[in-house]
Amino acid sequence: MDSVIGHRKRALRAELRERRQNLTSVEREAATAGFTQNLQSITLDLSARSISCYLSSRNEPDTRPFVNWAEAQGIRVLFPVSRDDGLLDWTVGEDQTEFEGLSGAPEAGGSLLGPIAINDVDLIIVPAAAVDATGLRMGWGRGYYDKTLGSMEKCPPVYAVVFDNEFVDEVPREVHDQPVDGLVTPTRIIAF
């Protein structure tokens, strides 16, 4: 059973990865403007003073303009740093540097605050490959966010960032998959 779901997930991830790679620079710029505006809107609606947000890699929805805006507003931003044990550590990225993390994704340089630092934020922004109509998130298969969200006592709102065509009817589900509270695309904000 699980191997069938695993196979479906891998096939879907490959398709989504290819779609992202095929976006033109014009499509990408328009999407970035939409993502930034919608992420700002959620942050303001929640009056969030502290958030966590990932640094996007090349083919992901670009979170950097949003992060720059948040920091300029005096909002504390925690960036994820992957660890060997499959958990995420957190930093405010005071070094203003980036390096390639264990998972190959860009990570911010700075003092590590420990995995529980995430418990103090008002909003969590997570990457995703796809999100379905029930709010189930399919990540990229490393499980960092599923472990993190699954271990939190009281979780603030969690929003996944995906392109419009990555909001799908259904994603293959495994036991450890964690749902999200909402999603942000370049054109929409959807709360579940």
Side-chain angles (χ1 to χ4, degrees), residues 6-173:
H7 183 74
R8 279 177 56 206
K9 279 186 167 180
R10 280 191 298 279
L12 185 53
R13 283 187 190 112
E15 183 190 321
L16 294 169
R17 217 175 251 125
E18 188 174 334
R19 261 194 233 158
R20 284 185 175 187
Q21 282 162 350
N22 292 335
L23 286 172
T24 66
S25 56
V26 172
E27 288 170 324
R28 215 174 275 284
E29 275 168 38
T32 298
F35 283 125
T36 304
Q37 194 174 356
N38 288 340
L39 287 167
Q40 288 170 346
S41 172
I42 292 171
T43 305
L44 294 169
D45 285 350
L46 292 170
S47 307
R49 298 308 306 146
S50 176
I51 62 174
S52 84
C53 186
Y54 64 100
L55 289 173
S56 48
S57 48
R58 204 169 57 86
N59 288 321
E60 284 185 305
D62 189 354
T63 55
R64 284 173 176 74
F66 164 68
V67 165
N68 295 339
W69 168 84
E71 290 180 333
Q73 301 296 309
I75 295 168
R76 182 171 187 253
V77 182
L78 288 187
F79 300 101
V81 178
S82 45
R83 298 178 4 152
D84 286 331
D85 62 5
L87 291 174
L88 290 171
D89 209 323
W90 304 92
T91 180
V92 291
E94 71 278 2
D95 295 357
Q96 300 290 311
T97 58
E98 280 183 32
F99 61 95
E100 188 175 298
L102 295 174
S103 63
E107 296 184 357
S111 325
L112 297 178
L113 306 171
I116 64 168
I118 186 72
N119 289 322
D120 300 328
V121 302
D122 304 317
L123 169 65
I124 300 177
I125 313 264
V126 299
V131 177
D132 75 12
T134 67
L136 193 66
R137 167 190 174 270
M138 183 176 80
W140 293 104
R142 291 182 290 268
Y144 286 111
Y145 283 98
D146 288 322
K147 280 192 196 84
T148 297
L149 300 175
S151 70
M152 291 179 73
E153 278 176 28
K154 56 179 206 339
C155 201
V158 178
Y159 277 77
V161 183
V162 290
F163 289 99
D164 285 300
N165 61 7
E166 295 165 350
F167 177 40
V168 297
D169 292 337
E170 188 189 6
V171 297
R173 178 173 202 147

